[in-house]
Every structure is written in structure tokens, then in C-alpha cells.
């Protein structure tokens, strides 16, 4: 049991800490930490390097979360002592992966905000909740044209969606709710600089070109 827990935490963190955005910037010849918002996430990459780089980084960051969840679930479900609690180990890997993305050891613990990685992890854990959160993100973004606002709204919608699924009997166990609540708090906290720019009226809005 302790082996599976340690494996989930370690593998989740190492997968999450893979700095997709930073490496994309290096391929393009720039350090993305020194330009734009200074963030290594897909939004900053999209603004700086265009759709090709931006969408690739978003996919890789999301895939990190999905891969961490599925690897942990695969291992736990095949060991007799952990099979019945495989979802808990998968959730542990999801949290570790998102923490790894936000605080990667390779970049002195200064990483992205965890939105894409959270989306991939949630898709691996509960596709229904991931779909609902995606719809929230799209609606808010199309209305406001702010990625930050859409991401914050989606983060808040996540634990609410999981709570609704639990209430409806579509899911069981409160563990995932508490985890998604913690993830929502982390994502919102990582957007505190965006709150400051929104209040100051300097937050960059995507145009409808």
C-alpha cells in the first residue's frame, strides 16, 4: 500500500514537472519566463509564439495530468492490496501532477497555473465532470474573452460539478470532492496576479480575429 502511494506521488510529480512551455520557448529561441506574463503555461506561449506552439503546449500539459492518473490507476488496479482503492491512488497522482506543474523542481519551483494539467487529470478521473467544466470554460471565455476569467470559473465549477454528481448518485465517495475543492483553491490562488491585472484594467483580452 505504501509502495503504491509513494509511486503515485513520485510519478505524478515528475510527470507534472515536465516543463512543456519552457522547452517550447527554448525551441523557439526565447525564455518565456522573461517575456509576456512570464508564465510557462499555454496561454503565454500562445500569445508569444502563436497557435502551433500554444496548442501543442496545452495538449502536452493536459496529457501530463491524464497520463499520471491512468498510470497510477493501472498499477493500483493490478495489485491485490490496492485494487479496491485504485481511484484514491489515481487521485493522489493527479494532485501530485498538478503540484509538479505549478512547482517544478527543474525551474526552481516556478511553473504554470495548472489549468490544462487539471483538465487532463479530471478527464482521466471523471470524464463527465471534465466535460461540464469544459463547457463552463468555453461559455465564460466566449463571453469575456479572458482566459484567466474562464479558467477561474472552470476551477470553481469543478468541485460544484463533482458535488452534483455525488448528490445524483452518479459517483460515490467524498474523497474526490475534497480533492477537486483543493485543486480549485490552488488554481484560483495561482491566478492572483490575474486578479490584480483585472482590477487595474490591464489584463490582456483575446480578440475575435
Amino acid at each position: 500500500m505504501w509502495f503504491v502511494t509513494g509511486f503515485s506521488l513520485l510519478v505524478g510529480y515528475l510527470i507534472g514537472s515536465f516543463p512543456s512551455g519552457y522547452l517550447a520557448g527554448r525551441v523557439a529561441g526565447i525564455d518565456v519566463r522573461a517575456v509576456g506574463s512570464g508564465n510557462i503555461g499555454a496561454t503565454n506561449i500562445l500569445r508569444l509564439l502563436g497557435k502551433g506552439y500554444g496548442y501543442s503546449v496545452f495538449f502536452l500539459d493536459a496529457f501530463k495530468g491524464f497520463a499520471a492518473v491512468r498510470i497510477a490507476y493501472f498499477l493500483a488496479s493490478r495489485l491485490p492490496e490496492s485494487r479496491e482503492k485504485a481511484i484514491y491512488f489515481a487521485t493522489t497522482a493527479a494532485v501530485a501532477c498538478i503540484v509538479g506543474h505549478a512547482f517544478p523542481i527543474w525551474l526552481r519551483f516556478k511553473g504554470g497555473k495548472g489549468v490544462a494539467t487539471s483538465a487532463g487529470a479530471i478527464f482521466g478521473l471523471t470524464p463527465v465532470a471534465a466535460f461540464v467544466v469544459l463547457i463552463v470554460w468555453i461559455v465564460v471565455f466566449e463571453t469575456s474573452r479572458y482566459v484567466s476569467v474562464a479558467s477561474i470559473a472552470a476551477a470553481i465549477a469543478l468541485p460544484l460539478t463533482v458535488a452534483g454528481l455525488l448528490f445524483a448518485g452518479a459517483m460515490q465517495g467524498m474523497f474526490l470532492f475534497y480533492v477537486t475543492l483543493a485543486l480549485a483553491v490552488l488554481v484560483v490562488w495561482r491566478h492572483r496576479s490575474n486578479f490584480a491585472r483585472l482590477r487595474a484594467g490591464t489584463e490582456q483580452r483575446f480578440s475575435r480575429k
Side-chain angles (χ1 to χ4, degrees):
M1 191 74 73
W2 285 107
F3 167 76
V4 181
T5 301
F7 177 86
S8 301
L9 288 170
L10 179 61
V11 171
Y13 179 82
L14 291 178
I15 291 176
S17 65
F18 180 78
S20 311
Y22 172 77
L23 294 177
R26 284 306 189 188
V27 170
I30 64 171
D31 186 346
V32 297
R33 299 172 299 176
V35 289
S37 67
N39 192 270
I40 66 168
T43 301
N44 195 36
I45 302 300
L46 180 62
R47 289 194 178 111
L48 294 173
L49 303 177
K51 293 181 179 180
Y53 282 98
Y55 292 164
S56 297
V57 169
F58 180 87
F59 172 80
L60 287 173
D61 285 347
F63 182 73
K64 291 190 303 186
F66 180 82
V69 165
R70 300 316 300 177
I71 289 172
Y73 189 85
F74 177 83
L75 175 66
S77 63
R78 277 156 179 76
L79 296 177
E81 66 272 18
S82 60
R83 185 174 298 133
E84 293 183 358
K85 297 183 178 181
I87 187 63
Y88 296 102
F89 296 109
T91 305
T92 298
V95 174
C97 184
I98 295 164
V99 171
H101 176 81
F103 307 102
I105 190 173
W106 322 113
L107 300 179
R108 297 182 180 179
F109 305 104
K110 295 181 180 179
K113 296 176 181 176
V115 176
T117 305
S118 296
I122 295 304
F123 185 80
L125 290 169
T126 169
V128 174
F131 179 76
V132 172
V133 170
L134 175 62
I135 295 299
V136 171
W137 191 96
I138 292 173
V139 170
V140 175
F141 175 72
E142 288 297 326
T143 303
S144 69
R145 306 305 294 180
Y146 287 117
V147 171
S148 58
V149 174
S151 299
I152 292 167
I156 295 172
L158 176 58
L160 296 177
T161 302
V162 171
L165 291 172
L166 288 169
F167 181 78
M171 295 175 57
Q172 292 184 346
M174 292 294 293
F175 181 68
L176 186 57
F177 169 74
Y178 294 131
V179 169
T180 54
L181 182 61
L183 292 180
V185 171
L186 175 62
V187 170
V188 172
W189 179 76
R190 293 288 291 171
H191 280 82
R192 61 194 184 281
S193 61
N194 299 91
F195 281 111
R197 289 194 293 270
L198 286 166
R199 288 196 300 268
T202 58
E203 179 76 339
Q204 188 172 354
R205 187 197 301 258
F206 274 86
S207 64
R208 294 183 179 274
K209 293 181 180 179

